[in-house]
Amino acid sequence: MAHNRLDQIVGTIVESVRDAVKSQDITFEEYRAAIGYMMKISESGELPLFIDVFLNAAIVDVINKNAHPSASPSDMEGPYFLDNAPVVSDGRIKTLDQYQGDQPMIVRGTVRDIDGAPLGGVLVDMWSSTPDGKYGGIHDGVPVDFYRGKLKTDAGGRFEFRSTVPVAYRIPDSGPTGALLEMMGRHSWRPAHVHLKVRSEGYRELTTQLYFEECPYVRSDCCEGIIPSKFVYPEIVENGARILEADLVIEPDRSARAAA
Ligand code: BEZ
Ligand code: FE
C-alpha cells in the first residue's frame, strides 16, 4: 500500500513507464537514447515546453472533470504566462509597429458567478502571440510588457482588451521538442489562440483560451487538447477589428471553503 499521495503518484507513473518499456520491447539502446534526449531537452531550457506539449491537456481534463457544470471550461496555461504583465486599465495592450498590416483585435466579455451575477473587481490577464508567433518576455525581440496585460472587471463584470490578432504557430523545430514531434511524424502547430486567466478572492482560478474558427489547426492542436466549441469564434469584425466576446463563469473555490 502507498505511504502517502506522493508515493502513490510516483509509484503509478513508474509503473506506467515500466509497462510501456515491456509492451514496446524497448531495447537498452533506445532506453539510453531516451535518457540522452531528456538531457538535451533539459539543457535547451525547453523542459517546461516539452512537458506542457505532452501533459498540460491531461491536467486540464482533470480540472474540467472536477469543475462545476456551469463554470467556463479551462484550457492549457502553457509555458508562456508571466505574472508580472503590465496593468492596462484602458485595455490597450502594447504591440510592435514592425508588423505591417496586423489586424486589430478586441477581446471583451463579462465575468459572472455560477448564479449569473456579474463580478466586478476580478483580475483578468490576457496574453497572446505576435503576428509571427512570439511571446513578450519569452522570445527575442519582444519586450516583456508587449502582447500581455492585466486589468480588473468593472462593476458590471465587464472587461475589454485591445491587441492584434495572433497566428497559428509552430513549436520551433530547431528545438528538441518540435524536432521530437516531427520525428514522430506529427506536426508541431498550435492553433491561433488568446490566453485568459481570471482570478478573484474566494473563486477558483480560471485559465482558458479563445480560438479562431477559420484556423485549420483548431481541429488538430499539436498539444491534443480538447478545444471547447463555445470558445471558437467566427469571423466577426467591427471597424476593422476582430471581435472575440467571452462570457466567463467562475465558481467558488471549494478548497478555500474547506480549509477555512
Ligand atoms: C501555448 O499556448 O502557448 C502553449 C501551450 C502548450 C504548449 C506549448 C505552448
Ligand atoms: Fe499560447
Side-chain angles (χ1 to χ4, degrees):
M1 206 182 72
H3 293 101
N4 53 42
R5 179 161 166 79
L6 184 64
D7 186 15
Q8 169 100 30
I9 293 169
V10 175
T12 308
I13 292 170
V14 170
E15 209 43 56
S16 307
V17 177
R18 284 182 183 146
D19 285 348
V21 168
K22 291 181 212 165
S23 72
Q24 299 305 309
D25 286 332
I26 290 179
T27 64
F28 189 66
E29 289 69 33
E30 287 170 331
Y31 166 70
R32 297 300 301 183
I35 294 173
Y37 211 81
M38 295 305 287
M39 297 280 289
K40 203 166 149 177
I41 287 168
S42 167
E43 282 158 11
S44 70
E46 281 195 1
L47 198 53
L49 172 68
F50 171 79
I51 294 177
D52 278 349
V53 165
F54 289 99
L55 292 179
N56 200 164
I59 298 291
V60 170
D61 290 346
V62 174
I63 295 171
N64 284 330
K65 184 184 76 177
N66 295 321
H68 188 281
S70 306
S72 292
S74 293
D75 202 334
M76 294 179 293
E77 176 167 313
Y80 302 139
F81 169 68
L82 297 176
D83 210 0
N84 58 349
V87 174
V88 287
S89 315
D90 62 357
R92 286 185 180 273
I93 288 182
K94 283 196 213 168
T95 58
L96 294 170
D97 292 336
Q98 71 198 57
Y99 298 104
Q100 301 285 316
D102 51 1
Q103 188 182 8
M105 170 179 73
I106 292 174
V107 177
R108 66 189 181 207
T110 309
V111 181
R112 297 177 192 275
D113 68 14
I114 49 175
D115 299 317
L119 294 170
V122 173
L123 184 65
V124 184
D125 265 84
M126 183 188 124
W127 70 107
S128 56
S129 72
T130 61
D132 61 356
K134 295 178 182 157
Y135 280 87
I138 304 284
H139 297 107
D140 287 346
V142 192
V144 66
D145 53 339
F146 279 63
Y147 297 91
R148 59 176 79 242
K150 51 165 71 110
L151 52 68
K152 287 202 167 162
T153 55
D154 68 15
R158 297 210 44 90
F159 66 92
E160 181 168 315
F161 291 102
R162 202 178 170 89
S163 185
T164 55
V165 173
V167 288
Y169 66 82
R170 261 175 113 185
I171 289 164
D173 55 5
S174 55
T177 308
L180 178 63
L181 287 170
E182 301 282 327
M183 283 190 286
M184 290 162 70
R186 299 192 187 176
H187 70 73
S188 53
W189 289 89
R190 284 232 62 220
H193 59 275
V194 172
H195 296 268
L196 292 176
K197 188 186 275 293
V198 181
R199 290 177 283 183
S200 186
E201 179 88 40
Y203 289 86
R204 203 173 182 197
E205 180 175 309
L206 170 71
T207 302
T208 198
Q209 296 185 32
L210 314 179
Y211 297 89
F212 301 81
E213 193 176 73
E214 70 279 12
C215 178
Y217 295 104
V218 86
R219 283 168 292 280
S220 73
D221 187 346
C222 69
C223 297
E224 299 180 305
I226 296 169
I227 293 175
S229 54
K230 71 176 292 193
F231 289 154
V232 179
Y233 291 86
E235 194 163 359
I236 294 171
V237 176
E238 271 177 29
N239 303 320
R242 182 70 188 263
I243 306 293
L244 307 186
E245 180 118 24
D247 285 319
L248 303 169
V249 177
I250 55 176
E251 63 175 302
D253 183 353
R254 284 170 266 164
S255 65
R257 234 182 4 215

